[in-house]
Coordinates of all heavy atoms in Angstrom, one line a residue:
R1 N 108.3 80.8 112.1 CA 107.0 81.1 111.6 C 106.2 79.9 111.2 O 105.0 79.7 111.5 CB 107.1 82.1 110.5 CG 105.7 82.6 110.0 CD 105.8 83.5 108.7 NE 104.5 83.8 108.3 CZ 103.8 84.8 108.7 NH1 104.3 85.7 109.6 NH2 102.5 85.0 108.2
T2 N 106.9 79.0 110.4 CA 106.2 77.8 109.9 C 105.7 77.0 111.1 O 104.6 76.5 111.1 CB 107.2 77.0 109.1 OG1 107.5 77.7 107.9 CG2 106.5 75.7 108.6
A3 N 106.5 76.8 112.1 CA 106.1 76.1 113.3 C 105.0 76.7 114.1 O 104.0 76.1 114.5 CB 107.3 75.9 114.3
M4 N 105.0 78.1 114.2 CA 104.0 78.8 114.9 C 102.6 78.7 114.2 O 101.6 78.5 114.8 CB 104.4 80.3 115.1 CG 105.4 80.5 116.1 SD 106.0 82.3 116.1 CE 104.5 83.1 116.3
E5 N 102.7 78.8 112.8 CA 101.5 78.7 112.0 C 100.9 77.3 112.2 O 99.6 77.1 112.3 CB 101.8 79.0 110.6 CG 102.0 80.5 110.3 CD 102.4 80.8 108.9 OE1 103.0 79.9 108.2 OE2 102.1 81.9 108.4
A6 N 101.7 76.2 112.2 CA 101.2 74.9 112.3 C 100.6 74.7 113.7 O 99.5 74.0 113.8 CB 102.3 73.9 112.1
L7 N 101.2 75.2 114.7 CA 100.6 75.0 116.1 C 99.3 75.8 116.2 O 98.4 75.3 116.8 CB 101.7 75.5 117.1 CG 102.9 74.7 117.3 CD1 104.0 75.4 118.1 CD2 102.5 73.4 118.0
L8 N 99.3 77.0 115.7 CA 98.0 77.8 115.8 C 96.9 77.1 115.0 O 95.8 77.0 115.5 CB 98.3 79.2 115.2 CG 97.0 80.1 115.2 CD1 96.5 80.3 116.7 CD2 97.4 81.5 114.6
D9 N 97.2 76.5 113.8 CA 96.2 75.8 113.1 C 95.7 74.6 113.9 O 94.5 74.4 113.9 CB 96.8 75.3 111.7 CG 95.8 74.6 110.9 OD1 94.9 75.2 110.4 OD2 95.9 73.4 110.7
E10 N 96.6 73.9 114.5 CA 96.2 72.8 115.4 C 95.3 73.3 116.5 O 94.3 72.6 116.9 CB 97.4 72.0 115.9 CG 97.0 70.8 116.7 CD 98.2 70.1 117.3 OE1 99.4 70.4 116.9 OE2 98.0 69.2 118.1
A11 N 95.7 74.4 117.2 CA 95.0 74.9 118.3 C 93.6 75.3 117.9 O 92.6 75.0 118.6 CB 95.7 76.1 118.9
Q12 N 93.5 75.9 116.7 CA 92.1 76.4 116.3 C 91.2 75.2 115.9 O 90.1 75.2 116.2 CB 92.3 77.3 115.1 CG 93.0 78.7 115.4 CD 93.4 79.5 114.2 OE1 93.6 78.9 113.1 NE2 93.5 80.8 114.4
R13 N 91.8 74.2 115.2 CA 91.0 73.1 114.7 C 90.6 72.1 115.8 O 89.7 71.4 115.6 CB 91.7 72.5 113.5 CG 91.8 73.4 112.3 CD 92.4 72.7 111.1 NE 92.6 73.7 110.0 CZ 91.6 74.2 109.2 NH1 90.4 73.7 109.4 NH2 91.9 75.1 108.3
T14 N 91.4 72.1 116.9 CA 91.0 71.2 118.0 C 90.3 71.9 119.1 O 90.1 71.3 120.2 CB 92.3 70.5 118.5 OG1 93.2 71.4 119.0 CG2 92.9 69.6 117.4
Y15 N 90.1 73.2 119.0 CA 89.4 73.9 120.1 C 88.1 73.3 120.4 O 87.3 73.1 119.5 CB 89.3 75.4 119.6 CG 88.9 76.3 120.7 CD1 89.7 76.6 121.8 CD2 87.6 77.0 120.7 CE1 89.3 77.5 122.8 CE2 87.2 77.9 121.6 CZ 88.1 78.1 122.7 OH 87.7 79.0 123.7
P16 N 87.8 73.1 121.6 CA 86.6 72.3 122.0 C 85.2 73.1 122.0 O 84.2 72.5 122.2 CB 86.9 71.8 123.4 CG 87.7 72.9 124.0 CD 88.6 73.4 122.8
Q17 N 85.3 74.4 121.8 CA 84.0 75.2 121.8 C 83.8 75.9 120.5 O 84.7 76.2 119.8 CB 84.1 76.2 123.0 CG 84.2 75.6 124.3 CD 84.4 76.6 125.5 OE1 84.8 77.8 125.2 NE2 84.0 76.2 126.7
Q18 N 82.5 76.1 120.2 CA 82.1 76.7 118.9 C 81.3 78.0 119.2 O 80.8 78.2 120.3 CB 81.2 75.7 118.1 CG 82.0 74.4 117.7 CD 83.1 74.7 116.8 OE1 83.1 75.5 115.9 NE2 84.2 74.0 117.1
P19 N 81.3 78.9 118.2 CA 80.5 80.1 118.3 C 79.0 79.8 118.7 O 78.5 78.7 118.3 CB 80.6 80.7 116.9 CG 81.8 80.2 116.4 CD 82.0 78.8 116.9
E20 N 78.4 80.6 119.5 CA 77.1 80.4 120.0 C 76.0 80.9 119.0 O 74.8 80.7 119.2 CB 76.9 81.1 121.3 CG 77.8 80.5 122.4 CD 77.8 81.3 123.7 OE1 77.0 82.3 123.8 OE2 78.5 80.9 124.6
G21 N 76.4 81.5 117.9 CA 75.5 82.0 116.9 C 76.1 82.9 115.9 O 77.3 83.2 116.1
P22 N 75.4 83.5 115.0 CA 76.0 84.4 114.0 C 76.6 85.6 114.6 O 77.6 86.2 114.1 CB 74.7 84.8 113.2 CG 73.8 83.7 113.3 CD 74.0 83.2 114.7
D23 N 76.2 86.1 115.8 CA 76.7 87.3 116.4 C 78.0 86.9 117.2 O 78.6 87.8 117.8 CB 75.7 87.9 117.4 CG 74.5 88.5 116.6 OD1 74.7 88.8 115.4 OD2 73.4 88.6 117.2
D24 N 78.3 85.6 117.3 CA 79.5 85.2 118.0 C 80.6 84.7 117.1 O 81.5 83.9 117.6 CB 79.1 84.1 119.0 CG 80.1 83.8 120.1 OD1 80.8 84.8 120.5 OD2 80.3 82.7 120.5
L25 N 80.6 85.1 115.9 CA 81.6 84.6 114.9 C 82.9 85.5 114.9 O 83.8 85.2 114.2 CB 81.1 84.6 113.5 CG 80.0 83.5 113.3 CD1 79.4 83.7 111.9 CD2 80.6 82.1 113.4
W26 N 82.9 86.6 115.7 CA 83.9 87.6 115.6 C 85.3 87.0 116.0 O 86.3 87.5 115.6 CB 83.6 88.8 116.5 CG 83.6 88.4 118.0 CD1 82.5 88.1 118.7 CD2 84.7 88.4 118.9 NE1 82.8 87.8 120.0 CE2 84.2 88.0 120.2 CE3 86.0 88.7 118.8 CZ2 85.0 87.9 121.3 CZ3 86.8 88.6 119.9 CH2 86.3 88.2 121.1
W27 N 85.3 86.0 116.9 CA 86.6 85.5 117.4 C 87.2 84.4 116.5 O 88.3 83.9 116.8 CB 86.4 85.0 118.8 CG 85.4 83.9 119.1 CD1 84.1 84.2 119.4 CD2 85.5 82.5 119.1 NE1 83.4 83.0 119.6 CE2 84.3 81.9 119.4 CE3 86.6 81.7 118.8 CZ2 84.1 80.6 119.5 CZ3 86.4 80.3 118.9 CH2 85.1 79.8 119.2
L28 N 86.6 84.1 115.4 CA 87.1 83.1 114.4 C 87.7 83.9 113.2 O 87.1 84.8 112.7 CB 86.1 82.2 114.0 CG 85.6 81.0 114.9 CD1 84.6 80.2 114.2 CD2 86.8 80.2 115.3
P29 N 88.9 83.4 112.7 CA 89.4 84.0 111.5 C 88.6 83.7 110.3 O 87.8 82.8 110.3 CB 90.8 83.4 111.4 CG 90.7 82.1 112.1 CD 89.7 82.3 113.2
R30 N 88.8 84.5 109.2 CA 87.9 84.3 108.0 C 88.0 82.9 107.5 O 87.0 82.4 107.0 CB 88.4 85.3 107.0 CG 88.0 86.8 107.3 CD 86.6 87.1 107.2 NE 86.3 88.5 107.5 CZ 86.3 89.5 106.7 NH1 86.6 89.2 105.4 NH2 86.1 90.7 107.1
H31 N 89.2 82.3 107.5 CA 89.4 81.0 106.8 C 88.7 79.9 107.5 O 88.5 78.8 107.0 CB 90.9 80.7 106.6 CG 91.6 80.3 107.8 ND1 92.1 81.3 108.6 CD2 91.9 79.1 108.4 CE1 92.8 80.7 109.7 NE2 92.6 79.4 109.5
L32 N 88.2 80.2 108.8 CA 87.4 79.2 109.5 C 86.0 79.6 109.6 O 85.2 79.1 110.4 CB 88.0 79.0 110.9 CG 89.4 78.3 111.0 CD1 89.9 78.2 112.4 CD2 89.4 77.0 110.3
G33 N 85.6 80.5 108.7 CA 84.2 80.9 108.7 C 83.8 82.0 109.7 O 82.6 82.3 109.8
G34 N 84.8 82.7 110.3 CA 84.5 83.8 111.2 C 84.4 85.1 110.5 O 84.6 85.2 109.3
T35 N 84.2 86.1 111.4 CA 84.1 87.5 110.8 C 85.2 88.4 111.3 O 85.1 89.6 111.2 CB 82.7 88.1 111.3 OG1 82.7 88.1 112.7 CG2 81.6 87.3 110.7
A36 N 86.3 87.8 111.8 CA 87.5 88.7 112.1 C 88.0 89.3 110.9 O 87.8 88.9 109.8 CB 88.5 87.8 112.8
P37 N 88.7 90.5 111.0 CA 89.3 91.1 109.9 C 90.3 90.2 109.2 O 90.9 89.3 109.8 CB 90.0 92.3 110.5 CG 89.4 92.5 111.8 CD 89.0 91.2 112.3
T38 N 90.4 90.4 107.9 CA 91.5 89.7 107.1 C 92.8 90.2 107.6 O 92.9 91.3 108.3 CB 91.3 89.9 105.6 OG1 91.5 91.3 105.3 CG2 90.0 89.4 105.1
L39 N 93.9 89.6 107.2 CA 95.2 90.0 107.5 C 95.5 91.4 107.0 O 96.1 92.3 107.7 CB 96.3 89.0 107.0 CG 97.7 89.1 107.6 CD1 97.7 88.9 109.1 CD2 98.6 88.1 106.9

């Protein structure tokens, strides 16, 4: 789990594309400023 979380964090933070506007925040988790549901 620790390794998976670290890899996912790296994948999210190095992802090359950003939301196109306020209506496109759904695919980001809350801790990265998105509007996806909390855990």
Side-chain angles (χ1 to χ4, degrees):
R1 181 187 178 89
T2 297
M4 287 172 56
E5 288 178 330
L7 289 167
L8 180 58
D9 181 69
E10 181 182 351
Q12 291 170 337
R13 295 186 184 280
T14 61
Y15 190 68
Q17 296 174 339
Q18 297 298 320
E20 297 172 0
D23 294 335
D24 194 36
L25 292 171
W26 66 267
W27 54 272
L28 284 181
R30 291 286 180 89
H31 71 276
L32 292 179
T35 58
T38 64
L39 197 57

